[in-house]
Amino acid sequence: MVHHWPATVCKEVKDHCKDPPDYWTIHGLWPDKSEGCNRSWHFNPEEIKDLLSDMRMYWPDLLHSSPNRSLHLWKHEWEKHGTCAAQLEALNSQKKYFGKSLDLSKELALNSTLQKLGITPSTYYQISDIKDALVSVYGVVPKVQCLPRQGDEEVQLLAQIEVCFSKDLQLQNCMEPGEPAPRGPEARPPASLGLEICKDGVLFYPALNKTNH
């Protein structure tokens, strides 16, 4: 279950961000392995019309600013990830896939969880402190991804948090405690964002730049 932080996404693709929200939003629900996917099962927004108000709030498209901008993201997420996840009975339709993703996001309550842990924007953190804090709440090891240091940035920027589930949708470790971050293409989310597993050490949790509004 992947959430991303709009302030960091907008730093990377600032020319495309329009009115980004000031809270963590869903990026997607991604099966580990893309096996048995049905690429011909095309996205149909009619099937999720009952979910649209929640989808627009919790799962907006940060990168496209057209009037129906979020349809672009939802179509991509369904056709790339949802058609693979649909092997599970609990996720075997577009309504189930998007509906269960919203449910899992609400259960994780990442925004309020970080606030309760005292993890707030405009602050520097040790990556280990963020992971340990999340483990203390969820009981499992998350995967934390950063935008690497670039240009005038002093440190890597907190960008994305993944919390992993088993096939029966029970929380499980993304990586075992002490396991080194994976290397290679499987370790990175979409190249368009240029994110990577956060390196050990310091990161910055940026506040939303209000000039992006």
Side-chain angles (χ1 to χ4, degrees):
M1 182 76 234
V2 187
H3 291 82
H4 53 189
W5 177 237
T8 302
V9 175
C10 291
K11 270 185 177 294
E12 174 66 0
V13 292
K14 53 183 175 290
D15 293 339
H16 298 285
C17 261
K18 182 176 172 57
D19 299 325
D22 198 8
Y23 50 87
W24 287 81
T25 62
I26 299 171
H27 191 170
L29 181 64
W30 300 347
D32 264 1
K33 295 175 181 169
S34 296
E35 296 173 350
C37 311
N38 181 359
R39 303 295 189 201
S40 63
W41 190 353
H42 295 304
F43 176 65
N44 178 6
E46 277 297 303
E47 292 192 27
I48 59 167
K49 60 180 186 293
D50 296 347
L51 305 174
L52 285 178
S53 60
D54 276 356
M55 294 279 289
R56 289 189 187 103
M57 174 168 284
Y58 300 111
W59 203 333
D61 188 340
L62 304 174
L63 306 182
H64 300 87
S65 55
S66 63
N68 292 319
R69 58 182 177 166
S70 291
L71 289 177
H72 181 100
L73 174 64
W74 303 336
K75 178 179 187 294
H76 170 82
E77 292 300 315
W78 168 253
E79 292 180 0
K80 182 173 182 181
H81 302 292
T83 61
C84 311
Q87 294 177 76
L88 301 183
E89 186 176 346
L91 303 171
N92 67 0
S93 71
Q94 291 177 48
K95 186 163 188 179
K96 283 185 182 180
Y97 173 75
F98 288 106
K100 178 55 74 173
S101 298
L102 288 166
D103 290 345
L104 292 175
S105 177
K106 289 173 185 173
E107 287 171 24
L108 291 172
L110 183 60
N111 287 283
S112 59
T113 295
L114 290 170
Q115 288 172 1
K116 287 173 186 170
L117 290 167
I119 298 171
T120 55
S122 300
T123 311
Y124 291 90
Y125 293 97
Q126 291 285 337
I127 176 61
S128 56
D129 290 343
I130 288 183
K131 277 188 176 176
D132 291 347
L134 291 170
V135 169
S136 75
V137 173
Y138 298 135
V140 294
V141 181
K143 190 183 292 185
V144 184
Q145 293 167 335
C146 286
L147 182 65
R149 186 172 69 85
Q150 53 191 305
D152 57 355
E153 299 290 348
E154 296 175 9
V155 296
Q156 59 192 344
L157 302 179
L158 179 61
Q160 197 154 262
I161 293 175
E162 295 184 27
V163 178
C164 296
F165 291 84
S166 62
K167 284 188 175 181
D168 56 358
L169 301 179
Q170 301 299 308
L171 284 164
Q172 68 175 31
N173 290 332
C174 293
M175 296 183 287
E176 292 303 316
E179 180 186 338
R183 300 293 174 210
E186 76 283 358
R188 295 198 302 272
S192 60
L193 290 183
L195 306 184
E196 63 181 27
I197 300 291
C198 299
K199 294 180 170 61
D200 288 342
V202 177
L203 60 74
F204 185 60
Y205 183 4
L208 188 68
N209 181 352
K210 298 303 182 185
T211 59
N212 282 336
H213 278 262

